Amino acid sequence: MAAGVATWLPFARAAAVGWLPLAKQNMPKPPVDKKTRSDEMLFVNVSGLRFQTWKNTLDRYPDTLLGSSEKEFFYNEDTQEYFFDRDPEMFRHILNFYRTGKLHYPRHECIQAFDEELAFFGIVPEIIGDCCMEEYRDRKKENQERLAEDTEAEMATDTPLPPNSTSRERLWRAFENPHTSTMALVFYYVTGFFIAVSVIANIVETVPCRPPKGSKKDLPCGEKYSLAFFCMDTACVLIFTFEYLMRLFAAPSRCKFMRSVMSVIDVVAIMPYYIGLVMPENEDVSGAFVTLRVFRVFRIFKFSRHSQGLRILGYTLKSCASELGFLLFSLTMAIIIFATVMFYAEKGTKGTNFTSIPAAFWYTIVTMTTLGYGDMVPNTIAGKIFGSICSLSGVLVIALPVPVIVSNFSRIYHQNQRADKMRAQQKVRLARIRLAKKGTTNAFLQYKEDGGLQICDGDSTAVCLKNRSSFEHQHHHLLHCLEKTTNHEFTDEMTYSEMCMTESVGYRTSRSTSLSSQQGVSTSCCPRRAKRRAIRLANSTVSVSRGSVQELDTLQVQKSSAGPQSRSSLNARTEELKLNCEDRDFTAAIISIPTPPANTPDESLPSSPAIPGILRNSRSSTYTHETVKISSL
Amino acid sequence: MGMVLGTFSVQTKQVNYRRDKVDDELEMTMVCHRPEGLDQLEAQTNFSKQELQVLYRGFKNECPSGVVNEETFKHIYAQFFPHGDASTYAHYLFNAFDTTNNGSIKFEEFVMGLSTLLRGTVREKLEWTFHLYDINRDGYINKEEMTEIVRAIYDMMGKYTYPALKGDVPKQHVDAFFQKMDKNKDGIVTLEEFITACQEDENMMRSMQLFENVM
């Protein structure tokens, strides 16, 4: 029920006294309203701007935030007001809704911002008043279309295919987006070339060539060099047929593909040739066959795959179907009216061209479109008067729907331009996003380097940590918890990729180098352990594109509470082998290493990085066993 | 040619008509009624200043022009009784409130009516009810008037009732009413008969008490 009705309710209840004499039964007891009847004023503070209103005003709409008890969550006891940390400008409109019962949409505001405010305050956008509803709907639709395009552009086709795609999917991709591979591009241009060749051949065929010796009449080139043209036509049709069959094979949904406009055009373009082959050399039939050759001109529509402008034009015409229909209808009406009038006006004249109303149609059309061929002209005065009215009205009738079509075309064209621009900027955007993500992950690694994970035991560590905000502290703590949970550690891209590379290649050589580079082995496992901690396999940045699963693929050789003593080892990556153990462990490990990794690295490398991680995972567990065993000595 | 001119002239005539209607509407919205002072109203009615303020604020919000016309009134009343057709009863109610009979209810009339209904004496309330039933204001209620009122009330119930409305229920209701009210069985009910009969009905008196807490 509308809010205003609530004001009239007491009145309606009072008027119920009029039913009392008629009532056959007793009236029920009225509900007792405990709260005080007096009106109270509420203060609503929205980001510093104070609004005051009657409580009744807000109570009008009990299913919104301000009208229900939900606003109590925002009540500030100290200042005795309701505080909302929202946009005060927008709140004005929302409060006006309570006051007047009509919600207006402010035209200068962003539609999404407005929607968000409405959602926050629990107001359904459907109650926007008629005055503003149209504008709201239009802008919302425009916004949604734009967002849909953006998401489409994001999921665009330039992203690499999943590695497990079948040849069919790859083929389809190549057809739909020639830019993805060189082969596809070549094929794209070749087909484009052949379409052009075919169309030009069709045209040149009809040009009169010099007649062969011994004949006076000019022959069209098609008949003079009929064999050459036939060969060219055959070649083109073969290419087109091949292309069509390939597309049909690659299409994800064959039925849908066959119903699409482009495939219909393809079929229509190549059918005449095959029908011509099959057709017998019959006189009557060949006449029909000649008509069929007209369809060859449809090949020019195949260019729409190559030209975006043509596609936009086609799409515009499709979307303006109603305007075009109206144009056609009004033109037809006008033509019929004027043709009839002209016919009857010119009926008396001798030798007139206006022999019938259909004959007058031609005159009307030519006049209304201001062509004026002059093959039919009125002679009588009445005819001339009506003829002039006809041409004037023609201009008007045609001018009316044209701006609508133009504006539609312009809107669609601009949308396409924007989509293209988005796609072009996509790479830059993705790179920027990747950089930002790298920043945060690197922050955590940096944090660990700086000894953030140590228990703070002195001022020394506190100094380097003080620059971090409490948010960062908590975030890093969270990441550390994850590390502990999964028993893996985070690392960065470079370390990981080097891990992959050095694994199979420099396995034994690096082992020796690491042997020589070992320092301070005697003291404890800690230095080595620290070194090994630095050996990480996770690819944190790869996770941007592959998902966070990769992050768990970190291989942690030795898990210990080792301090950050040999952080410098992080830089000496080349020496650090993924799976190297410390000295003592090393010797024991040498025995155990050869067999498992020897077979696997070579196989594991070619496959995706995820798999080696898993493999190494299993290997690390064996190492851990070894090291634990040895260190207990 | 004549046809063309004819269509053009028809168009202009329509435009003129529309313009006149728009002018009328503009005129109506210009009419703005302001009530007499708060003090005067307080003296005339049984409401306190506070209550009058609340009432007026609600009234002004709904009808910024200061008057309620019958269409708006019917529309409002129809919202309370969505099951059936409240327009007839609303019409009678409107006439009961519109004491000056000028087709619109001003705030004073509104508030006076409410004052009678909520804060008036029993006699005043019964008089008001009598005036509601007396459609033609001749001082008597006859069977036809009563039937109309009762039919209007039953219209508000709508079609789907339990038990279902069978037969001429309003007529039976009216007969029962006249049985009770018409003491001298002359077919009409006068004000005194009405008041006397109502005051004898204890149930009705008790129900009247219940309605005092509406405001």
Side-chain angles (χ1 to χ4, degrees), chain A residues 170-329:
Chain A
R170 276 205 292 268
L171 199 60
W172 181 248
R173 263 276 312 254
F175 274 127
E176 292 297 301
N177 298 287
H179 313 283
T180 45
S181 77
T182 330
M183 265 309 291
L185 210 57
V186 163
F187 189 71
Y188 175 75
Y189 283 124
V190 161
T191 42
F193 172 70
F194 272 98
I195 296 173
V197 160
S198 162
V199 169
I200 291 175
N202 282 348
I203 296 171
V204 169
E205 213 166 57
T206 57
V207 171
C209 279
R210 239 176 317 175
K213 290 198 182 60
S215 163
K216 286 250 175 55
K217 215 171 59 162
D218 265 342
L219 266 185
C221 281
E223 288 181 27
K224 188 168 172 196
Y225 302 104
S226 60
L227 191 61
F229 278 108
F230 181 72
C231 292
M232 218 182 311
D233 203 22
T234 313
C236 294
V237 169
L238 277 175
I239 300 268
F240 297 151
T241 317
F242 173 71
E243 184 204 353
Y244 180 71
L245 289 173
M246 282 283 105
R247 273 184 205 264
L248 191 62
F249 166 69
S253 154
R254 299 223 168 99
C255 294
K256 199 171 103 169
F257 173 73
M258 289 188 81
R259 281 197 304 240
S260 72
V261 175
M262 287 310 303
S263 93
V264 167
I265 291 178
D266 286 340
V267 171
V268 170
I270 58 181
M271 264 307 142
Y273 178 80
Y274 288 110
I275 296 180
L277 281 184
V278 173
M279 196 99 78
E281 288 299 326
N282 204 340
E283 284 301 314
D284 348 306
V285 187
S286 62
F289 172 60
V290 166
T291 333
L292 264 182
R293 293 184 111 204
V294 166
F295 283 104
R296 290 189 305 170
V297 82
F298 271 81
R299 288 180 196 164
I300 210 172
F301 283 118
K302 287 166 69 76
F303 265 129
S304 63
R305 277 215 182 91
H306 299 251
S307 153
Q308 203 184 31
L310 211 58
R311 270 203 301 269
I312 294 175
L313 188 62
Y315 183 64
T316 311
L317 289 176
K318 198 168 68 160
S319 68
C320 301
S322 65
E323 278 83 29
L324 285 174
F326 163 67
L327 173 63
L328 218 58
F329 178 68

Side-chain angles (χ1 to χ4, degrees), chain B residues 66-134:
Chain B
V67 292
V68 192
N69 59 2
E70 193 166 336
E71 280 311 308
T72 322
F73 191 85
K74 279 189 179 166
H75 174 74
I76 290 168
Y77 216 72
Q79 306 223 325
F80 288 119
F81 302 101
H83 304 280
D85 177 24
S87 52
T88 331
Y89 187 70
H91 169 76
Y92 296 134
L93 203 56
F94 186 84
N95 286 341
F97 269 94
D98 186 13
T99 45
T100 52
N101 285 328
N102 58 353
S104 61
I105 300 182
K106 303 196 290 291
F107 181 64
E108 289 100 332
E109 294 167 334
F110 175 72
V111 122
M112 304 259 223
L114 270 186
S115 163
T116 318
L117 284 172
L118 298 175
R119 304 285 161 89
T121 64
V122 171
R123 191 178 167 92
E124 286 173 351
K125 290 184 191 174
L126 290 173
E127 275 178 9
W128 189 89
T129 317
F130 187 84
H131 283 302
L132 171 67
Y133 295 159
D134 184 11

Side-chain angles (χ1 to χ4, degrees), chain A residues 117-128:
Chain A
E117 292 297 311
L118 286 186
F120 180 82
F121 286 104
I123 298 173
V124 205
E126 272 67 35
I127 50 177
I128 290 183

Side-chain angles (χ1 to χ4, degrees), chain A residues 445 448-449 483 489-499 525-538 554-560 562-580:
Chain A
L445 297 173
K448 288 208 284 189
E449 260 189 56
E483 281 186 339
E489 277 185 10
F490 291 113
T491 185
D492 58 4
E493 187 171 3
M494 286 205 284
T495 330
Y496 181 67
S497 48
E498 285 186 15
M499 230 54 82
C525 343
C526 290
R528 301 310 300 159
R529 288 216 182 110
K531 230 189 194 172
R532 263 167 280 129
R533 283 187 78 202
I535 299 165
R536 281 153 209 151
L537 292 177
T554 49
L555 178 59
Q556 191 244 328
V557 180
Q558 290 291 343
K559 206 64 179 123
S560 69
Q565 288 98 331
S566 45
R567 284 294 161 190
S568 54
S569 60
L570 209 89
N571 302 326
R573 277 187 205 105
T574 42
E575 310 168 357
E576 290 160 356
L577 247 202
K578 26 10 254 197
L579 309 169
N580 253 341

Side-chain angles (χ1 to χ4, degrees), chain A residues 1-5 7-24 26-30 37-39 54 56 60 99 386 389, chain B residues 57-59 61-63 68 73 76 79-81 89 93 97 110 114 117-118 129 132-133 146 150 153 156 173 177 180 194 203-204 207-208 210-211 214:
Chain A
M1 278 214 285
V5 177
T7 335
W8 291 94
L9 188 60
F11 156 78
R13 292 178 73 201
V17 169
W19 299 338
L20 286 177
L22 289 167
K24 288 190 193 160
N26 283 346
M27 291 292 165
K29 279 187 67 119
R37 277 302 175 190
S38 65
D39 236 345
W54 296 109
N56 279 358
R60 284 208 203 140
R99 291 178 180 143
F386 284 118
I389 297 177
Chain B
R57 279 203 296 268
F59 186 81
N61 232 341
E62 295 313 307
C63 316
V68 192
F73 191 85
I76 290 168
Q79 306 223 325
F80 288 119
F81 302 101
Y89 187 70
L93 203 56
F97 269 94
F110 175 72
L114 270 186
L117 284 172
L118 298 175
T129 317
L132 171 67
Y133 295 159
M146 210 53 226
V150 172
I153 293 179
M156 282 200 292
H173 205 131
F177 176 79
K180 199 166 69 171
F194 182 73
N203 287 338
M204 197 192 304
S207 304
M208 264 200 189
L210 298 174
F211 275 85
V214 166

